[in-house]
Amino acid sequence: MNKILSKNLRDFRIKLGLTQDQMADYLGISREEVSYYETNRRPVSMDLIPKYADLFGIDEYDLYEEETSINNLHIAFAFRANEISTEDLKVVAGFKKIALNYLKMKNVLAQS
């Protein structure tokens, strides 16, 4: 499971155009820790999983998704960040979380 998580964290970060330094600033950790997580040399701290998911605009369980085609679909709809500040990343992550929750609520209401 950790190997899948590590690969997905790296793939999402790269596809979004974020550096390990940007990711570290957003998460409030060192760049080395980001590298350790992405190479599966350390287990990812569980309190960081929601932050990763919010930034990537996905559910937390999607970070454990083994099916590459599903992750590619998530990535296809992601923004690209060439030059973006840590504060901007926090705002983007917050907006993505709101949008994802809205879509979940809409689906629940549609099933009622």
Side-chain angles (χ1 to χ4, degrees), residues 85-103:
S85 72
T86 301
E87 288 306 310
D88 289 339
L89 285 176
K90 290 177 182 177
V91 170
V92 168
F95 176 76
K96 285 184 172 186
K97 186 173 186 174
I98 291 168
L100 188 60
N101 286 334
Y102 166 76
L103 292 173

